[in-house]
Amino acid sequence: MPGSLEPLDLGVQIPYHFRCPISLELMCDPVTVSTGQTYDRASIESWVATGNTTCPVTRSPLTDFTLIPNHTLRRLIQEWCVANRSFGVQRIPTPKQPADPAMVRSLLSQASSMTIAPQSRLSALRRLRGLARDSDKNRAVISAFDVRGILLNVVFSNAMDSDLSHEALALLVMFPLAESDCALVAAEPARVAYLARMLFHSSIEVRVNSAALVEIVVAGTRTPELRSQISNVDDIFEGVIEILRNPISYPRALKVGIKALFALCLVKQTRHKAVSAGAAETLIDRLADFEKCDAERALATIELLCRIPSGCSAFSSHALTVPLLVKIILKISDRATEYAAGALLSLCSSSEENQREAVAAGILTQLLLLVQSDCTDRAKRKAQLLLKLLRDSWPEDSIRNSDDFACSEVVVPF
């Protein structure tokens, strides 16, 4: 009831009929259901999504789940917000309406039609991409149609019309592909070669979208032969690694680039190509720029490449590799710790010089902390193996004079 509403801290009350009956908050996107009651869109959608089939206020069955925007009430709420600006009330933005299935079907039909002018097809694709950007719900509506098949056909059948192909590619990477879709791309060398060429396009967006599709296809392909076929394509590693060298002012390049490189490096037979393309230097130079999840992938990629001799040699030749890995071994996450420890184990196993660098960088302290931490068992096993490997490289009094660790409690399999 109006009399029971709590006044805002700002010294102004929200009118009763402006509040959502479910959340009791100011409605941002009021919609009316089949019973005539009005709710905030997010609240009533959540109500229905949890299995409720009745109107929250009247308890009457909802015979139709269509939500009709209440434009009049929304305008009244916006006017009230403007009138109360002096109390700190901010005007609610005009909500973007969810995608209409009939409109989506029409736009997809236009985009895929060979009888329609290319500019009209391009316009349809751009409208679809705008809808997909707006919300997860819109992407779900678009996904309900054969959007992946349509877009794959547009991307690879219109390579000569670059604008059309590039716009379809930008929309396609916003949706996950089924394994059959990935196989359809991977099994056609001409399609993979086209994506590899697009990795060197003058537009950074086209390059990143191409790398994104490469990652989606490699990760979604279960056949080892097809995965190997993709990673064997000329210049594909060079193109992906070049994306990682872009300025950090375009963070999506780093995120997509490392996902693509990691996916490609999961193919054992072609890891040497990543090394030859300069992966080692690039990964070490950009390691500090990655966000947490991407840093984990970068370290996982470093560990994978350190498992081959050429990878170990390339990382060893970079002056910052060992000190950087020692420095961050405990700073990112448990997974990152495991990958960094694995990379250091490979590097130190390959070279006594790397062992000396690791000790000089303070690896003993890090490993003692690691084996006493709550990190993964695999990380601890790698740390113990490193401690054993580095035993002869420790300064004689390094442990005896340390008061910071209960070293006698550390079990190392010597």
Side-chain angles (χ1 to χ4, degrees), residues 358-377:
V359 171
I363 194 172
L364 175 58
T365 299
Q366 299 287 64
L367 293 178
L368 290 173
L369 283 170
L370 197 163
V371 295
Q372 297 177 89
S373 70
D374 294 326
C375 65
T376 65
D377 290 339

Side-chain angles (χ1 to χ4, degrees), residues 148-149 152 156 172-173 175-189 191-192 195 212-223 225-230 263:
R148 298 165 185 81
L152 282 170
F156 295 110
L172 178 61
V173 297
F175 300 92
L177 296 184
E179 183 177 350
S180 58
D181 296 323
C182 294
L184 192 65
V185 177
E188 289 287 342
R191 293 188 169 190
V192 182
L195 291 178
L213 187 54
V214 166
E215 187 273 331
I216 291 171
V217 170
V218 174
T221 301
R222 297 290 175 261
T223 308
E225 292 78 13
L226 287 179
R227 292 163 68 101
S228 180
Q229 184 173 300
I230 297 170

Side-chain angles (χ1 to χ4, degrees), residues 184-246:
L184 192 65
V185 177
E188 289 287 342
R191 293 188 169 190
V192 182
Y194 172 71
L195 291 178
R197 289 197 303 275
M198 291 303 99
L199 293 173
F200 297 92
H201 195 273
S202 58
S203 165
I204 181 61
E205 184 179 16
V206 172
R207 291 161 59 193
V208 171
N209 287 334
S210 299
L213 187 54
V214 166
E215 187 273 331
I216 291 171
V217 170
V218 174
T221 301
R222 297 290 175 261
T223 308
E225 292 78 13
L226 287 179
R227 292 163 68 101
S228 180
Q229 184 173 300
I230 297 170
S231 60
N232 253 322
V233 170
D234 290 343
D235 297 333
I236 198 164
F237 279 104
E238 286 81 356
V240 169
I241 291 169
E242 187 60 35
I243 288 174
L244 287 170
R245 294 178 178 141
N246 274 276

Side-chain angles (χ1 to χ4, degrees), residues 40-88:
D40 198 31
R41 183 186 294 276
S43 296
I44 191 63
E45 285 183 340
S46 178
W47 170 268
V48 173
T50 54
N52 295 291
T53 59
T54 59
C55 173
V57 171
T58 67
R59 299 299 179 183
S60 300
L62 291 171
T63 57
D64 184 353
F65 292 97
T66 302
L67 304 178
I68 302 173
N70 192 327
H71 297 298
T72 300
L73 180 56
R74 177 172 54 79
R75 282 194 293 269
L76 289 172
I77 292 173
Q78 289 178 330
E79 290 171 3
W80 177 83
C81 291
V82 172
N84 288 276
R85 281 183 300 182
S86 59
F87 294 99

Side-chain angles (χ1 to χ4, degrees), residues 92-214:
I92 62 170
T94 301
K96 294 181 178 179
Q97 296 304 310
D100 176 61
M103 180 182 66
V104 169
R105 185 187 297 108
S106 175
L107 290 172
L108 285 171
S109 177
Q110 291 178 47
S112 60
S113 176
M114 299 297 292
T115 61
I116 294 178
Q119 195 59 39
S120 297
R121 297 177 68 189
L122 185 62
S123 177
L125 287 170
R126 285 173 175 165
R127 288 185 64 189
L128 284 166
R129 183 149 72 120
L131 290 171
R133 281 173 171 169
D134 283 346
S135 67
D136 292 338
K137 183 175 181 180
N138 282 359
R139 287 192 290 276
V141 171
I142 297 172
S143 291
F145 301 93
D146 183 27
V147 63
R148 298 165 185 81
I150 290 173
L151 293 176
L152 282 170
N153 185 60
V154 175
V155 169
F156 295 110
S157 299
N158 295 271
M160 297 302 294
D161 189 333
S162 58
D163 289 342
L164 199 60
S165 177
H166 298 164
E167 191 65 35
L169 176 62
L171 180 57
L172 178 61
V173 297
M174 299 175 75
F175 300 92
L177 296 184
E179 183 177 350
S180 58
D181 296 323
C182 294
L184 192 65
V185 177
E188 289 287 342
R191 293 188 169 190
V192 182
Y194 172 71
L195 291 178
R197 289 197 303 275
M198 291 303 99
L199 293 173
F200 297 92
H201 195 273
S202 58
S203 165
I204 181 61
E205 184 179 16
V206 172
R207 291 161 59 193
V208 171
N209 287 334
S210 299
L213 187 54
V214 166

